[in-house]
Amino acid sequence: MQNINNTQYFKVEKEPELKVKDVLEIVYRALAEKGYNPVNQIVGYIMSGDPTYITSYNNARSLVMKVERDELVEEILREYIHSNSWK
């Protein structure tokens, strides 16, 4: 029997943190799979902050809400600039 006067320890594993790029990909795919126009829905969310623009399918809504909207815009702009060889 264990001594109840000793402190018990347990370790909780943290979930790996997703990058903004990964969140956008998951959200985009979830919206497309549900038949929505992903670009329109993501823009609606970024502009309004209303999470109902994002489907809850595949946990997309809760994932996107963990990321600041300005971070979403930064990642989209960064990828656009990179893909157009501006830098």
Side-chain angles (χ1 to χ4, degrees):
M1 183 169 207
Q2 295 182 7
N3 185 344
I4 61 171
N5 294 323
N6 292 334
T7 302
Q8 299 295 316
Y9 293 97
F10 66 93
K11 185 175 181 180
V12 177
E13 296 290 328
K14 288 177 87 175
E15 290 183 25
E17 195 168 314
L18 290 174
K19 296 179 182 178
V20 176
K21 185 175 185 173
D22 298 329
V23 171
L24 278 168
E25 182 178 349
I26 292 166
V27 169
Y28 185 95
R29 288 180 185 216
L31 288 164
E33 286 177 23
K34 292 305 281 183
Y36 297 106
N37 180 320
V39 173
N40 288 349
Q41 297 304 113
I42 293 170
V43 168
Y45 171 69
I46 290 171
M47 297 297 290
S48 71
D50 182 356
T52 60
Y53 277 98
I54 307 300
T55 181
S56 58
Y57 177 70
N58 280 349
N59 209 27
R61 185 179 297 157
S62 62
L63 283 175
V64 80
M65 289 172 53
K66 292 179 182 178
V67 179
E68 296 292 329
R69 289 181 294 151
D70 64 320
E71 291 179 278
L72 296 173
V73 173
E74 287 175 19
E75 183 60 35
I76 292 167
L77 184 58
R78 187 178 297 112
E79 188 60 33
Y80 182 82
I81 289 169
H82 178 74
S83 68
N84 285 293
S85 302
W86 290 0
K87 121 185 196 193

